[in-house]
Amino acid sequence: MTAPLRVALLGCGTVGGAVLRLLDEQAADLAARIGRPVQVAGVAVRRPDRHPEVPADLLTTDAVGLVTRDDVDLVVEVIGGIEPARSLILAAVEAGKSVVSANKALLAEDGVALHAAAAKAGVDLYYEASVAGAIPLLRPLRESLAGDQIRRVVGIVNGTTNYILSRMAETGAGFSEALAEATELGYAEADPTADVDGFDAAAKAAILASLSFHTAVTAADVHREGISAVSATDVARAAEIGCTVKLLAICERVPGEEGDTVAVRVHPAMIPTSHPLAAVGGAFNAVFVEAEAAGQLMFYGQGAGGEPTASAVLGDLVAVARNRVAGAAGAGPTAYAELPARPIAETPTRYHVSLDVADVPGVLATVATAFAEHGVSIATVRQDGHGDAATLVIVTHSAPDAALSSTIAALREVPAVRGVTSVLRVEGLS
Amino acid sequence: MTAPLRVALLGCGTVGGAVLRLLDEQAADLAARIGRPVQVAGVAVRRPDRHPEVPADLLTTDAVGLVTRDDVDLVVEVIGGIEPARSLILAAVEAGKSVVSANKALLAEDGVALHAAAAKAGVDLYYEASVAGAIPLLRPLRESLAGDQIRRVVGIVNGTTNYILSRMAETGAGFSEALAEATELGYAEADPTADVDGFDAAAKAAILASLSFHTAVTAADVHREGISAVSATDVARAAEIGCTVKLLAICERVPGEEGDTVAVRVHPAMIPTSHPLAAVGGAFNAVFVEAEAAGQLMFYGQGAGGEPTASAVLGDLVAVARNRVAGAAGAGPTAYAELPARPIAETPTRYHVSLDVADVPGVLATVATAFAEHGVSIATVRQDGHGDAATLVIVTHSAPDAALSSTIAALREVPAVRGVTSVLRVEGLS
């Protein structure tokens, strides 16, 4: 056994702590799997006094100094956020260190520049832990399916919103009430914006789309709607039509006459309860992948948490360490396809719409006309009369999203329509 | 773009044909992803006249000549079976060619020697397609979970038996009848032995266990029971206790006082209908993985078929091609752990047992005593009287398999027991 590979750890929160513990517990196994032992060279934190569990001589507040030290071979970044993570990763890469990161926000914003820097320096930049925690997903997309054409990726990739939506379905609670419960139980952060407004899922969608379609997709390319507008009525309506509401990250390659485009979006949607994603509860994540030759694949597992995320970080660490031992960096992702992003307005979707209407003759005809005038075809309609009013529940066929939203706007102006009580996209219907 | 990488294809059946087609259709994408174009150098078949779809100048019957040709860089083996596949792979490896194989039987029998030859020659030997078709499984086990400790792998990895068992459950048919239907529909081969007797699943289990536990496990180490003894009664009894019968491949790391051992087995078992594996039907495969830090993961997709298998072959082909371009072979699997195989007799399992008994006072006590005398604890028992007879349905707690089978043997000798009508192991109960 030769000299150890030395690892710098940036950040020591829940994930960093788990990484340190596993590096220690699994030391013998890691050494055997890599061919060289792994040693922690230092741990950069903001407040060393808050980490009594880490040997004091390893702690430092000088993160830049640490990642550029000559005795450091590999860098693990689990700080999160854009800065200082970006500068530190760039400094590490330029100093010739391979980097493992769990940073979805940074990779989704600036993956292209970071990959370019890594390629230029001949080092690895791996980030399996950034999407869907422990679930092996980026490596399968990037490597196992590298000889196939991926068409579609649909996933539940945010545990907080999944918990909230599950609770709304179980208890009939509204969004605010379910969020309050999630916050109290620690499933939602004090500032839940990143989760409930879909920023977290959108960053993950950008990473998934980039790898799936060999195209640079950033978070800014992702159409993003959170779940704060999902009402108890939406959830109840979903149940009535045999569906459940989930926040989905959807990455699609849309064929077109002038070439394929890539449509990436995050929004709540109704999916049939028979759909495998419908049963994914709580902290679990699941991602469906549809490829030309492979057909349908599903990946399922824990999407968050210190241990599962650390498992993904260590998997990457073993990979970059093996590459270091072999003396060659692994192949980075490619972005040669350069498929243009398709705006949400032009992306084909399906809508569920519930309307309160006056129960007068001809109201269905009036409503149906509004759909037809926008080129939207209706798949199913159910009319429930009660007194002088009626409820219309409509599920459309697929149409450009803009046509669907114009239809809704038009319906709001129809005198016989007293209210649009629920509008949500529908996915996974045959 | 530099000179093309040249691929020799061994075998041109369903999978080989799909590989050729995808290599052609995806040529531009593959070139962009690898950094060099890929070209077919030759296709070795037994009967060139049977392959009018392949350009005649590519076809050859001289497989050894083809794999050792100087203008061949990579070899894809989709012949299957032990010989001549083994000799050809060894010849290719010794001639410095990296190899992609879909050959589960060969890898399960002789993986150690083949890996040693590949390591010695500094080339890659990849075989993702050998287990669970298109599902990325070996790469996740070997790489994504390389920093974790895998505890257990449980999978449905044979589509033929899964189809037969599903039909038995749906129609109440016996094994022979369901097999005849499967044969007629082309889901079972004319000689179904490899599938129904569990040889196919056992080979896959050996490969999964080897990678999961960093230990050389061969098909001979796998306890194997097929499904031909599964009766309509077994299937009906399973339904009565909320279970369904599946042929499972189970790889476990069993902790022990004198160190951990590895127990690998393939047998039919009852699993609760609520278990995610229970819903896996027809040609689909699914594999559960339980790891120390990652927790529970599931992989799901098409387990067989030309296109899905070809997708996995091409994923590996891109990987070995990238390694070739980078000038270094990837890390092979490790077998450093050398955990001893645990015999089935000592492996903890749970049993379901249905007995026809005389409905006389004390019969339950007599039966319960037989279990107790063998150290087997009963979890649940249900007694249904009818006339002068009764049915006892017993589910045990976990006990060494030998204790359970001795219990069954003893029960057969109990005068009050008129018949043991169903015995199957039970998995997935909490």
Side-chain angles (χ1 to χ4, degrees):
Chain A
M1 200 71 74
T2 47
L5 284 165
R6 293 180 43 92
V7 177
L9 179 65
L10 306 180
C12 197
T14 315
V15 176
V19 167
L20 272 188
R21 204 171 48 65
L22 290 174
L23 278 176
D24 181 45
E25 283 175 17
Q26 316 261 46
D29 281 305
L30 293 171
R33 293 173 194 177
I34 294 165
R36 279 172 67 182
V38 173
Q39 220 171 57
V40 179
V43 182
V45 294
R46 258 189 301 188
R47 300 277 309 263
D49 55 309
R50 295 208 182 155
H51 301 277
E53 77 287 2
V54 182
D57 58 333
L58 291 179
L59 289 168
T60 172
T61 55
D62 178 14
V64 180
L66 177 63
V67 300
T68 52
R69 255 165 55 183
D70 283 346
D71 68 332
V72 166
D73 301 294
L74 311 169
V75 173
V76 172
E77 183 270 309
V78 287
I79 307 173
I82 306 299
E83 284 295 350
R86 171 166 39 201
S87 308
L88 291 171
I89 291 178
L90 286 172
V93 160
E94 281 159 18
K97 329 290 189 192
S98 286
V99 174
V100 174
S101 169
N103 195 328
K104 59 198 156 263
L106 177 58
L107 265 302
E109 180 169 307
D110 219 13
V112 173
L114 295 170
H115 280 299
K120 194 175 159 206
V123 300
D124 289 318
L125 171 60
Y126 283 19
Y127 43 93
E128 180 68 74
S130 66
V131 181
I135 310 175
L137 190 57
L138 305 193
R139 183 169 280 108
L141 290 176
R142 209 170 81 162
E143 301 184 23
S144 307
L145 291 164
D148 207 331
Q149 210 63 268
I150 296 172
R151 281 192 204 137
R152 202 158 188 269
V153 177
V154 180
I156 294 173
V157 294
N158 181 273
T160 303
T161 49
N162 202 41
Y163 176 83
I164 292 172
L165 291 170
S166 300
R167 289 302 289 164
M168 288 174 70
E170 288 157 17
T171 65
F175 167 74
S176 310
E177 201 182 326
L179 171 59
E181 186 195 312
T183 311
E184 199 177 326
L185 295 172
Y187 293 127
E189 300 192 36
D191 177 359
T193 313
D195 291 316
V196 302
D197 287 349
F199 290 100
D200 173 85
K204 293 167 177 168
I207 294 172
L208 292 174
S210 297
L211 296 177
S212 299
F213 306 126
H214 300 271
T215 289
V217 177
T218 70
D221 299 318
V222 181
H223 174 76
R224 179 187 49 77
E225 297 172 31
I227 64 162
S228 56
V230 175
S231 66
T233 306
D234 292 330
V235 173
R237 286 283 179 277
E240 284 167 21
I241 61 167
C243 285
T244 183
V245 180
K246 294 287 187 188
L247 182 72
L248 299 181
I250 304 174
C251 313
E252 289 171 305
R253 181 177 182 133
V254 187
E257 285 180 15
E258 295 166 24
D260 294 359
T261 52
V262 161
V264 190
R265 51 197 163 105
V266 166
H267 56 68
M270 295 183 180
I271 57 172
T273 49
S274 59
H275 193 288
L277 287 179
V280 176
F284 279 85
N285 281 194
V287 177
F288 251 82
V289 177
E290 227 177 282
E292 206 73 43
Q296 288 198 323
L297 303 169
M298 191 175 83
F299 302 81
Y300 171 91
Q302 292 190 55
E307 298 268 312
T309 309
S311 170
V313 167
L314 280 193
D316 276 355
L317 190 65
V318 170
V320 305
R322 282 172 170 170
N323 289 345
R324 175 61 56 119
V325 170
T334 57
Y336 67 89
E338 295 179 359
L339 302 178
R342 189 180 195 93
I344 182 71
E346 297 167 22
T347 300
T349 62
R350 298 181 69 173
Y351 271 39
H352 152 275
V353 190
S354 290
L355 305 172
D356 273 352
V357 296
D359 194 5
V360 293
V363 65
L364 179 54
T366 311
V367 166
T369 303
F371 278 89
E373 281 174 355
H374 291 86
V376 176
S377 163
I378 290 173
T380 62
V381 58
R382 207 187 68 220
Q383 181 163 6
D384 291 328
H386 37 84
D388 67 339
T391 302
L392 284 183
V393 178
I394 295 159
V395 176
T396 75
H397 281 300
S398 179
D401 202 82
L404 289 157
S405 53
S406 314
T407 308
I408 305 302
L411 286 172
R412 294 189 198 274
E413 303 303 318
V414 173
V417 173
R418 295 183 181 166
V420 178
T421 52
S422 171
V423 180
L424 267 188
R425 296 191 186 86
V426 183
E427 289 288 326
L429 286 183
S430 52
Chain B
M1 199 73 74
T2 49
L5 283 167
R6 290 176 51 87
V7 177
L9 180 64
L10 307 180
C12 196
T14 316
V15 175
V19 167
L20 272 187
R21 203 172 49 65
L22 290 174
L23 277 175
D24 181 45
E25 283 177 16
Q26 316 263 47
D29 280 305
L30 293 172
R33 293 173 193 177
I34 294 165
R36 280 172 67 181
V38 173
Q39 221 172 56
V40 178
V43 181
V45 295
R46 258 190 301 188
R47 301 278 309 262
D49 55 308
R50 295 208 182 154
H51 301 276
E53 77 289 1
V54 181
D57 59 332
L58 291 180
L59 288 168
T60 175
T61 55
D62 178 13
V64 180
L66 177 62
V67 301
T68 53
R69 254 165 56 184
D70 283 347
D71 67 333
V72 166
D73 300 295
L74 311 170
V75 172
V76 172
E77 183 270 309
V78 288
I79 308 173
I82 304 300
E83 283 297 346
R86 171 167 39 201
S87 307
L88 291 171
I89 291 178
L90 285 172
V93 160
E94 280 159 19
K97 330 290 189 191
S98 285
V99 174
V100 174
S101 169
N103 195 328
K104 57 195 158 265
L106 177 56
L107 265 301
E109 178 169 308
D110 218 15
V112 173
L114 294 170
H115 280 299
K120 193 175 159 206
V123 299
D124 289 318
L125 171 61
Y126 284 18
Y127 44 94
E128 180 67 74
S130 66
V131 182
I135 310 174
L137 191 57
L138 304 194
R139 185 169 278 107
L141 289 177
R142 209 171 79 163
E143 300 183 23
S144 308
L145 291 164
D148 207 332
Q149 210 63 270
I150 296 172
R151 279 191 206 139
R152 201 158 189 267
V153 177
V154 181
I156 294 173
V157 295
N158 180 274
T160 303
T161 48
N162 203 40
Y163 176 83
I164 292 172
L165 292 171
S166 300
R167 290 301 290 164
M168 288 174 71
E170 286 158 19
T171 65
F175 167 75
S176 309
E177 201 183 325
L179 171 61
E181 185 196 313
T183 310
E184 200 178 323
L185 294 171
Y187 293 126
E189 300 192 36
D191 176 0
T193 314
D195 292 316
V196 304
D197 287 350
F199 290 100
D200 174 85
K204 293 167 177 169
I207 294 172
L208 292 174
S210 296
L211 297 177
S212 299
F213 306 127
H214 300 270
T215 289
V217 177
T218 71
D221 299 319
V222 181
H223 175 75
R224 178 187 51 76
E225 297 173 31
I227 64 163
S228 56
V230 175
S231 66
T233 307
D234 291 331
V235 173
R237 287 282 179 279
E240 284 168 20
I241 62 166
C243 284
T244 183
V245 179
K246 295 287 186 187
L247 182 71
L248 299 181
I250 304 174
C251 315
E252 289 170 306
R253 182 177 181 132
V254 186
E257 285 181 17
E258 293 167 25
D260 293 0
T261 52
V262 161
V264 189
R265 52 197 164 107
V266 166
H267 57 68
M270 296 183 180
I271 56 172
T273 50
S274 60
H275 193 287
L277 287 179
V280 176
F284 279 85
N285 282 193
V287 177
F288 251 82
V289 178
E290 229 177 279
E292 204 73 40
Q296 288 197 324
L297 303 169
M298 191 176 83
F299 302 81
Y300 172 91
Q302 292 190 56
E307 298 268 311
T309 309
S311 170
V313 167
L314 281 192
D316 276 354
L317 190 66
V318 170
V320 304
R322 283 173 170 169
N323 289 345
R324 175 61 56 120
V325 170
T334 55
Y336 67 90
E338 297 179 358
L339 302 178
R342 191 180 192 92
I344 181 72
E346 297 167 20
T347 301
T349 62
R350 297 180 70 170
Y351 272 38
H352 153 275
V353 190
S354 290
L355 305 172
D356 273 351
V357 296
D359 194 5
V360 293
V363 65
L364 179 56
T366 310
V367 166
T369 303
F371 279 88
E373 282 174 355
H374 291 85
V376 176
S377 162
I378 290 174
T380 62
V381 58
R382 207 187 68 220
Q383 180 163 5
D384 291 330
H386 36 84
D388 66 339
T391 302
L392 283 184
V393 178
I394 295 159
V395 176
T396 74
H397 281 299
S398 180
D401 202 82
L404 290 157
S405 54
S406 313
T407 306
I408 305 302
L411 286 172
R412 292 188 200 275
E413 304 303 318
V414 172
V417 173
R418 295 180 182 170
V420 178
T421 53
S422 169
V423 180
L424 268 188
R425 296 191 186 86
V426 183
E427 288 289 326
L429 286 183
S430 52

